[in-house]
Amino acid sequence: HGRARMLPLLDPRRCCGTGDCIRICPTQCLSRAAPPGVVLARPGDCISCGLCATVCPEQAIRMPAVPLLSPGEATFEPLED
């Protein structure tokens, strides 16, 4: 308990679907979702490098600290409206 790591939190309202984040991800943990969109498909593979957030032209990706339930398992809070 009390452990956390930074994981990409994607805002589908801002995502324009360029795919830059998918291409730059060294672990390929991001993938396409309903157009336009990107999802964190494999959170356990994310190394918290933040490259995806850096290259996003719409700033649709944040890197908050996400509480871990167990190794490789994360809880995600919904974005505030």
Side-chain angles (χ1 to χ4, degrees):
H1 293 279
R3 295 181 339 126
R5 70 183 248 214
M6 293 176 67
L7 288 176
L9 183 61
L10 295 92
D11 183 346
R13 297 167 296 188
R14 298 187 80 161
C15 179
C16 60
T18 65
D20 293 345
C21 57
I22 295 171
R23 286 187 289 280
I24 201 165
C25 180
T27 63
Q28 301 300 298
C29 65
L30 302 171
S31 63
R32 291 243 177 242
V38 174
V39 294
L40 179 59
R42 293 183 307 281
D45 292 344
C46 180
I47 59 172
S48 304
C49 67
L51 289 172
C52 56
T54 302
V55 301
C56 180
E58 299 298 322
Q59 300 175 348
I61 303 174
R62 295 185 297 123
M63 294 293 293
V66 176
L68 296 179
L69 299 176
S70 62
E73 185 178 3
T75 59
F76 292 87
E77 296 296 323
L79 292 173
E80 297 85 31
D81 287 329

